[in-house]
Amino acid sequence: MADEKIVNPFRVLGNAPDPAAAPGSRGSESDEASLVEEVERGLLFTSVEKMVNWARANAIWPLGFGLACCAIEMMAIVGPRFDISRFGAEVFRASPRQADLMIVAGRVSVKMAPVLRQLYDQMPDPKWVISMGACASCGGVFNNYAIVQGVDKIVPVDVYIPGCPPRPEALIHGIMKLQEKILASRVELGPKARRKKGAA
Amino acid sequence: MAEPASGSAAPTATAPPPGAPEPARLSPERVEQRLRERFSEVPIERQMGEAVRDHTVYVPAEHLVEVCTFLRDDHELDFAMLSWVGGIDYLPRQPRFEVVYHLLSLRRNCRFVLKVRVPEEAPRVPTLIGVWPTANWHERETYDFYGITFEGHPDMTRILLPEAWVGWPLRKDSPLGYQEVSFTHNTPTRTVPAPDLTRLKPKKVRYRAH
Amino acid sequence: MTLNMGPQHPSTHGVLRVVLELDGETVVRAKPIIGYLHTGMEKQAEYKTYTQSIPQTDRMDYLAPLSNNLALCLAAEKLLGIEAPPRAQVVRVLLTELTRISAHCVWLGTHALDIGAMTVFFYCFREREKVLSIYDMVCGARMTASYFRVGGLASDIPEGLLERCRTFVDEMPAHVDEYETLLSKNPIWLARTQGVAPLSARDAVALGVTGPILRGSGVRWDLRKTQPYCGYDGYDFEVPVGANGDAYDRYMVRVNEMRQSTRIADQAIRRLQEMGPGDYRLRDYKYVLPSKEEVKTSMEALIHHFKIVAHGFFPPVGEAYATVEAPKGELGFYFVSDGTPRPWRMKVRAPSFVNLQSLATMVEGRLVADVITAIGSLDIVLGEIDR
């Protein structure tokens, strides 16, 4: 009879007890052993970084920053067909102070650029920016005096999504890519630890 | 046929005869005829051209407000709505600018176009806010794009471009603002590392979001 | 107190900034500031041919892209003196009315969301998805369609489109009933919209307002009836008109317009089924591309195709202005041509640009919360205002 090890997705201290072991082999230690077993099954070892990243990735709250046509596709992912609530992101915050993702959806005109930068500055860390659509990524169809040729001239961008407008599935793909990026990122040290380390 | 509800009657210059039947659709030629009858000393010129598809008439700027007030208040014509105002730059022809006014008569179902020639040295036209309040933003937009000032306008500032913008973008001597997109073929000084294609391995993507 | 309802606001339907001077909760002055989405489309159109400007128009009123395409095509056709063939006109009417339904769905969903009725948002976007999948079927893109061309359509309608449109048109009236059940007699909705943001007929005409706002104020003016285009005089439909000019009347006008659009679309589908196959583009090769079979067999067609694609068609020297009744109001394109393939001037008469001027009249002397209702009932699209 094969020893079937129960494969856990999380590393657990010790393995599950051998079901083929003869009953009664645990005598007075059986209570203690079962207690240890219970405790072991409820524990998981991971790193703070992974926990924090997992929490951040699955609860991204976007800032409602729809500018033009891409905003309508952004509204469509809130709709019932492409449900962004599955990804934990259906609460589009009105205030930048409560948001951690800024989806720049639409063309950024020269008049809007300082407003965009101010909103980005008002968002607390950690924050990410998705540049949705061709106009936000590179100026798109409009290469003239009125449109900023790419929002990365103003704010640092994490994910670029091409399309005019990108289908809601493409936007969801972009958000999932961002989730991957967040899961792979290092958690930043706080200001005191940073100073101790000698960094900025 | 359009019938405005009670409350849209402006003070009329000529009252209709009582008991008259609803008149037929007004034709632009009739409008021009009435204009010439009323303003016989004002030089009114019809824009001729094989493909000028709307009946257009040039009016000098000094008489613009008079003409428009007549067009609005006359009972037969009743141009109650100003559809839009726009500017055109005809560089290098002089006079350089033209301001176009599209009028609409709801009750008589008729459209009529007025144009004013504006010279480059003195780009000023009297405002039509007193006649049709809708001219407000249209005139600001024309000022924003061409630099044509409308005398008597309460708020002659830029509307679509940032306040601090210098220049009149829709003039023919203003550039489009096209920015050359930098590719490797037009920025030879930028070195791009050649991708190493000998050891291509597909990247294994693991979605760890759950 | 001066309050800035900034360019980033969940209820301003785009990047609109309204500077409100308040006295407690009462609005003393409201001044909309626009231009945060200015794209320079009119300048850019002077550097592109007429056909190349068609995709630009999709991005203006992005809720009703096919309406904008239609307006540009009609203006160019008026300038050239040509008309699209009858089958193309019926397809244009069908798709434009479906566009109207989808634009009103977005309006209703966002207006209700602003006032607090979230459920309507989800219902409306569910219907909109069906219209977008019809667009997808017809031209490949969900929103920015660019399906109409000068002289007709870009390509013929695919098989199966009429069946899908028929399914949509048959089930739409039940959905409109759903929205009305949720809102029309709802006491909260009535309290928030009846008597709110009124605009008298005289003010509306003086301010140049057109579309459902003008009709909500009592003026029976609809370009599809009074200055018909695209064969609209052959369709049987009514024009809903309100009485008081408040937000509730505008709501009723637009909801009834959705029903009437369904009626027109129904007639258009029947007409297409009766007509059978036919030309989807005019056969005037001086201005319109010939079909591929002719390009590959006839020399003149090949040369025309080359000239039109390489340079664009050469319109006569002149000007033309054509209007359509867009979901927002009177949308017009004005072209000045100097004989070259690129227009000398393209001016867009955007309905929302003019309608937004009436915000100050609607809101001064009223409460702050009514500003949101007013902006919602105006149904503005910043892409069109700022161009």
Side-chain angles (χ1 to χ4, degrees):
Chain A
M1 170 185 31
D3 247 276
E4 286 179 28
K5 283 201 178 160
I6 301 170
V7 177
N8 288 313
F10 305 106
R11 275 186 306 141
V12 178
L13 185 65
N15 295 324
D18 194 354
S25 61
R26 301 170 267 157
S28 59
E29 304 147 358
S30 70
D31 295 321
E32 198 195 310
S34 61
L35 184 67
V36 168
E37 193 184 295
E38 279 304 311
V39 169
E40 284 168 10
R41 279 216 205 105
L43 270 183
L44 71 93
F45 271 106
T46 177
S47 66
V48 171
E49 198 172 75
K50 284 206 184 117
M51 271 304 302
V52 167
N53 284 341
W54 179 79
R56 282 179 179 165
N58 288 326
I60 306 183
W61 285 7
L63 172 67
F65 200 60
L67 295 167
C69 352
C70 285
I72 308 296
E73 293 292 46
M74 199 166 71
M75 276 156 55
I77 56 171
V78 181
R81 186 171 171 188
F82 312 98
D83 192 9
I84 202 183
S85 166
R86 311 177 263 171
F87 302 94
E90 89 271 14
V91 274
F92 272 75
R93 308 311 297 166
S95 160
R97 305 277 184 201
Q98 298 164 358
D100 39 25
L101 169 67
M102 182 160 84
I103 305 183
V104 184
R107 46 193 187 263
V108 183
S109 80
V110 170
K111 198 166 175 180
M112 191 66 190
V115 179
L116 182 88
R117 180 70 212 186
Q118 193 177 25
L119 285 168
Y120 178 76
D121 290 334
Q122 284 176 344
M123 282 166 68
D125 270 330
K127 54 191 173 190
W128 299 278
V129 175
I130 287 185
S131 140
M132 175 184 179
C135 293
S137 308
C138 66
V141 200
F142 305 108
N143 193 342
N144 54 32
Y145 63 89
I147 295 287
V148 175
Q149 299 296 301
V151 82
D152 51 2
K153 294 202 197 287
I154 315 175
V155 295
V157 175
D158 292 293
V159 177
Y160 297 86
I161 305 180
C164 193
R167 286 188 67 107
E169 290 103 334
L171 178 57
I172 293 179
H173 183 127
I175 294 180
M176 290 178 76
K177 267 259 181 286
L178 181 67
Q179 284 180 333
E180 270 179 66
K181 179 171 181 176
I182 297 174
L183 287 170
S185 61
R186 310 224 57 151
V187 170
E188 283 151 19
L189 301 169
K192 279 199 193 142
R194 248 184 285 164
R195 237 175 287 138
K196 228 161 80 170
K197 255 199 135 171
Chain B
M1 270 309 195
E3 308 132 330
S6 64
S8 81
T12 55
T14 58
E22 186 60 51
R25 186 171 172 168
L26 184 64
S27 76
E29 288 80 15
R30 173 77 182 137
V31 179
E32 190 185 341
Q33 188 187 18
R34 286 295 309 279
L35 266 184
R36 285 186 195 281
E37 280 167 20
R38 168 79 175 76
F39 295 98
S40 42
E41 68 294 346
V42 173
I44 294 180
E45 187 194 320
R46 165 100 191 257
Q47 183 180 13
M48 302 311 293
E50 151 225 355
V52 176
R53 307 289 183 197
D54 307 301
H55 194 111
T56 314
V57 144
Y58 283 100
V59 174
E62 318 76 70
H63 300 275
L64 180 67
V65 181
E66 270 188 290
V67 169
C68 291
T69 318
F70 167 69
L71 287 170
R72 182 193 69 175
D73 294 340
D74 184 77
H75 184 80
E76 185 194 346
L77 305 177
D78 200 11
F79 280 99
M81 192 187 278
L82 171 66
S83 222
W84 55 276
V85 179
I88 314 175
D89 180 359
Y90 279 108
L91 191 72
R93 188 197 85 175
Q94 291 295 340
R96 182 173 174 185
F97 300 112
E98 276 181 10
V99 180
V100 191
Y101 297 86
H102 253 77
L103 308 178
L104 173 62
S105 169
L106 300 174
R107 198 173 56 87
R108 301 305 309 275
N109 196 359
C110 176
R111 284 192 193 269
F112 196 69
V113 183
L114 289 178
K115 276 196 182 183
V116 176
R117 290 197 179 94
V118 180
E120 184 176 357
E121 321 75 57
R124 286 186 294 277
V125 179
T127 182
L128 283 186
I129 279 192
V131 186
W132 292 290
T134 182
N136 193 334
W137 279 18
H138 287 124
E139 291 178 348
R140 279 179 72 187
E141 185 194 329
T142 314
Y143 165 73
D144 194 358
F145 285 160
Y146 291 100
I148 300 174
T149 349
F150 288 83
E151 291 160 335
H153 196 285
D155 183 22
M156 192 91 264
T157 52
R158 288 195 183 269
I159 188 173
L160 291 179
L161 281 127
E163 305 280 320
W165 194 273
V166 172
W168 314 111
L170 248 68
R171 287 194 180 186
K172 290 290 177 180
D173 43 9
S174 291
L176 176 64
Y178 179 84
Q179 284 181 24
E180 190 76 37
V181 184
S182 53
F183 297 102
T184 39
H185 64 86
N186 58 5
T187 41
T189 51
R190 189 185 298 179
T191 50
V192 177
D196 187 355
L197 295 171
T198 54
R199 285 171 297 144
L200 258 188
K201 260 189 322 200
K203 190 172 90 107
K204 184 167 177 202
V205 171
R206 295 178 305 177
Y207 284 97
R208 284 301 202 106
H210 30 265
Chain C
M1 174 172 84
T2 309
L3 187 66
N4 183 38
M5 218 171 115
Q8 188 262 341
H9 192 276
S11 301
T12 51
H13 301 281
V15 279
L16 168 67
R17 181 172 157 214
V18 184
V19 178
L20 295 165
E21 274 169 40
L22 300 174
D23 175 23
E25 283 250 348
T26 325
V27 176
V28 172
R29 260 192 72 203
K31 181 174 176 201
I33 298 182
I34 56 177
Y36 289 95
L37 200 57
H38 178 62
T39 318
M41 288 192 192
E42 296 182 357
K43 177 87 180 175
Q44 193 159 325
E46 295 171 16
Y47 291 77
K48 304 219 178 284
T49 65
Y50 293 81
T51 316
Q52 285 172 339
S53 294
I54 294 177
Q56 257 195 335
T57 59
D58 282 329
R59 279 98 185 141
M60 278 193 324
D61 177 3
Y62 37 79
L63 300 179
L66 285 176
S67 277
N68 310 14
N69 293 352
L70 181 63
L72 190 148
C73 292
L74 287 178
E77 286 165 11
K78 186 171 175 183
L79 179 64
L80 297 172
I82 61 178
E83 217 183 65
R87 185 157 188 267
Q89 289 194 2
V90 181
V91 174
R92 280 179 175 182
V93 166
L94 169 64
L95 288 174
T96 312
E97 291 307 318
L98 291 178
T99 310
R100 194 182 309 270
I101 295 175
S102 90
H104 284 332
C105 274
V106 176
W107 160 77
L108 186 58
T110 47
H111 186 38
L113 184 67
D114 288 342
I115 294 189
M118 271 187 81
T119 316
V120 185
F121 178 80
F122 291 103
Y123 284 2
C124 287
F125 269 72
R126 183 190 58 189
E127 260 61 76
R128 188 179 143 78
E129 290 296 328
K130 296 177 189 154
V131 177
L132 291 181
S133 63
I134 290 177
Y135 278 13
D136 202 351
M137 200 175 171
V138 138
C139 63
R142 269 164 59 96
M143 239 170 65
T144 48
S146 307
Y147 182 55
F148 302 149
R149 295 281 182 274
V150 178
L153 313 170
S155 58
D156 207 349
I157 55 175
E159 283 178 26
L161 178 75
L162 291 181
E163 284 75 36
R164 200 184 276 205
C165 289
R166 165 62 55 204
T167 325
F168 176 73
V169 156
D170 285 340
E171 65 182 24
M172 191 62 195
H175 290 305
V176 181
D177 287 335
E178 237 175 24
Y179 310 150
E180 283 215 84
T181 316
L182 281 173
L183 293 175
S184 293
K185 296 212 173 70
N186 187 331
I188 303 179
W189 184 261
L190 293 174
R192 283 298 301 262
T193 54
Q194 262 186 343
V196 165
L199 189 67
S200 70
R202 184 187 181 152
D203 280 339
V205 173
L207 286 165
V209 164
T210 51
I213 307 169
L214 186 63
R215 292 195 280 280
S217 296
V219 180
R220 183 179 295 279
W221 178 258
D222 186 333
L223 284 168
R224 294 174 291 170
K225 287 277 193 199
T226 52
Q227 297 181 352
Y229 52 92
C230 252
Y232 266 106
D233 37 1
Y235 294 90
D236 176 36
F237 64 101
E238 283 159 23
V239 172
V241 175
N244 301 325
D246 57 7
Y248 186 72
D249 276 342
R250 285 175 227 134
Y251 155 77
M252 286 310 296
V253 163
R254 288 193 180 104
V255 166
N256 286 325
E257 269 184 21
M258 278 205 264
R259 291 190 201 279
Q260 298 301 319
S261 290
T262 319
R263 226 170 119 183
I264 301 175
D266 176 41
Q267 292 168 44
I269 296 173
R270 262 186 248 276
R271 212 173 276 204
L272 272 174
Q273 279 163 341
E274 281 161 12
M275 265 189 184
D279 275 342
Y280 63 90
R281 267 207 290 240
L282 192 63
R283 283 180 182 276
D284 187 349
Y285 302 147
K286 241 171 65 168
Y287 303 124
V288 182
L289 286 177
S291 65
K292 277 294 184 188
E293 295 84 23
E294 293 186 52
V295 169
K296 293 187 206 260
T297 50
S298 145
M299 193 57 198
E300 296 95 25
L302 178 69
I303 297 178
H304 282 301
H305 180 100
F306 173 74
K307 285 291 284 180
I308 293 177
V309 170
H311 301 137
F313 53 78
F314 290 80
V317 177
E319 5 185 291
Y321 175 66
T323 51
V324 302
E325 180 75 25
K328 313 275 182 278
E330 175 188 322
L331 170 65
F333 273 75
Y334 175 68
F335 280 116
V336 176
S337 144
D338 58 344
T340 61
R342 304 195 151 87
W344 184 259
R345 169 83 164 111
M346 174 179 97
K347 162 97 177 95
V348 181
R349 191 256 184 217
S352 306
F353 181 75
V354 189
N355 294 351
L356 188 57
Q357 284 185 75
S358 63
L359 179 67
T361 322
M362 279 186 190
V363 144
E364 274 165 13
R366 312 265 157 187
L367 302 174
V368 156
D370 294 344
V371 176
I372 308 286
T373 314
I375 296 179
S377 75
L378 273 177
D379 194 10
I380 50 172
V381 173
L382 265 296
E384 180 169 70
I385 296 181
D386 290 342
R387 277 160 278 127

